[in-house]
Amino acid sequence: MISYLDFEKPVAQLEERIAQLRNVNALHDVDVAQEIARLEAKSTELLASTYASLTPWQKTQVARHPQRPHFRDYVAHAFTDFMPLGGDRLYGDDLAIMGGFARLNGRRVMLIGHEKGNDTQSRIKHNFGMGKPEGYRKAIRLMELAGRFGLPVVTLVDTSGAFPGIEAEERGQAEAIARSTEACLALPVPMIAAIVGEGGSGGAVALASANRVLMMEHAVYSVISPEGCASILWRTSEKAADAAQAMKVTAQHLKRDNVIDRIVKEPLGGAQRDAAAAARMLGDALTEELDGLSAKTGEQLIAVREERFLAIGG
């Protein structure tokens, strides 16, 4: 069952009516195929027009959709031969950040990303995708391993931000994030980052300081959540929609401002409606980007990466 967001209520009503007609057709052998086809066409048209004019706040809601695909979904549909690697060799294993060897369309890569979970139990297990210091130190270890063996690095970013708990601060959260960002910038191999849902604060940048930064069509990327920004500026989170508009958090805004390099299309109605198709679209885009970087030397990759980030805001 699809979970509908508030702005999708007209679509939900149409799809509910279609489901009712299908039940009538099945139970009473009444031919309503023509009416079903008409309503399906109307539903598709309404869904397309709705998603073509989403506000930044509505895109934020889509990026947070409970059924939106996460790291494990992309692994299942876009990658093969995934071999997870755990632990930071210092403290423990953080399941909010996962990684390991994988193949992308036959190419061996090091895959790292945030996992939010898809139900209450798994969300708690993965700490809602909010990485702790040991998670970022694990990412550093895997990036250094990739550099040693000449493997491209692919990261899938999907976090509201790094975990803000006191225990994370005690274990050096800020230092771990800074070191992870540094490790990205120093990689002698190609690195592609994809913002697949939320890209929040330094917790996202720590895995997204790449040669090429991609964003899914309805993902968001910002230094702080719209609610956090609204709470600071207006002392109320109720102004989150205004904050999202002002912060320009969408892929379309960020592409125009050269913060990201490419927007990856999503299935009609968002990635949550067809995770497999969304994963294939992302996999194809990642493959094209890696092909474009494959001829560059380690020194060139590092130089281009540094120039890319120094140019932002210039």
Side-chain angles (χ1 to χ4, degrees):
M1 293 290 293
I2 292 288
S3 294
Y4 294 95
L5 299 169
D6 286 344
F7 64 84
E8 294 179 307
K9 284 181 179 178
V11 177
Q13 293 169 353
L14 270 176
E15 294 189 348
E16 182 181 2
R17 177 59 179 158
I18 291 168
Q20 291 172 347
L21 286 175
R22 283 182 176 145
N23 286 335
V24 168
N25 190 44
L27 294 175
H28 303 290
D29 196 26
V30 177
D31 186 7
V32 290
Q34 188 173 357
E35 178 64 10
I36 290 174
R38 186 185 71 81
L39 290 178
E40 284 179 336
K42 186 176 180 181
S43 175
T44 299
E45 182 181 348
L46 180 58
L47 191 63
S49 63
T50 298
Y51 270 76
S53 58
L54 294 181
T55 66
W57 177 240
Q58 288 171 335
K59 281 185 177 285
T60 303
Q61 293 175 290
V62 175
R64 297 171 175 173
H65 195 287
Q67 293 171 322
R68 193 170 178 86
H70 302 303
F71 181 84
R72 291 184 300 173
D73 301 299
Y74 286 104
V75 169
H77 296 298
F79 296 85
T80 57
D81 299 334
F82 179 60
M83 181 184 295
L85 300 173
D88 66 344
R89 303 298 187 265
L90 291 171
Y91 180 83
D93 192 24
D94 178 14
L95 295 180
I97 296 177
M98 302 181 70
F101 298 113
R103 288 189 184 276
L104 173 63
N105 291 329
R107 176 189 273 114
R108 196 72 166 161
V109 300
M110 181 65 77
L111 179 63
I112 307 169
H114 299 94
E115 173 56 54
K116 285 185 171 181
N118 54 14
D119 56 29
T120 301
Q121 186 175 355
S122 64
R123 284 171 188 146
I124 293 171
K125 174 182 175 182
H126 294 283
N127 201 34
F128 299 86
M130 295 185 293
K132 297 178 181 178
E134 50 271 24
Y136 290 103
R137 291 182 178 126
K138 173 170 64 177
I140 294 168
R141 184 173 73 83
L142 298 186
M143 284 188 271
E144 290 176 346
L145 188 63
R148 196 176 309 140
F149 289 103
L151 296 177
V153 174
V154 173
T155 61
L156 306 182
V157 178
D158 188 10
T159 182
S160 58
F163 183 60
I166 189 170
E167 64 268 35
E169 296 299 327
E170 289 172 342
R171 296 199 293 274
Q173 182 71 293
E175 185 267 350
I177 290 172
R179 293 289 184 186
S180 184
T181 305
E182 180 184 42
C184 292
L185 294 172
L187 270 174
V189 294
M191 181 178 180
I192 310 292
I195 316 298
V196 297
E198 285 185 277
S201 193
V205 173
L207 296 185
S209 299
N211 291 102
R212 301 283 290 174
V213 180
L214 283 55
M215 274 185 78
M216 298 298 285
E217 183 181 5
H218 303 305
V220 293
Y221 191 22
S222 61
V223 71
I224 190 173
S225 70
E227 295 93 333
C229 177
S231 295
I232 292 170
L233 294 181
W234 296 291
R235 300 291 189 271
T236 174
S237 61
E238 293 180 2
K239 291 277 193 176
D242 295 328
Q245 182 71 43
M247 290 164 63
K248 297 179 171 56
V249 300
T250 70
Q252 292 72 27
H253 281 121
L254 295 169
K255 176 66 172 66
R256 185 191 64 196
D257 294 338
N258 296 318
V259 175
I260 66 164
D261 302 293
R262 177 171 178 171
I263 298 174
V264 181
K265 291 285 290 182
E266 295 186 23
L268 180 61
Q272 67 273 10
R273 282 183 168 258
D274 193 339
R280 288 193 297 271
M281 292 175 182
L282 179 60
D284 290 343
L286 290 170
T287 299
E288 289 177 12
E289 296 295 341
L290 287 173
D291 287 343
L293 294 173
S294 61
K296 293 186 182 296
T297 66
E299 292 78 9
Q300 289 173 327
L301 290 166
I302 293 171
V304 168
R305 201 178 295 136
E306 290 178 352
E307 289 171 5
R308 182 195 182 285
F309 284 94
L310 287 172
I312 293 176

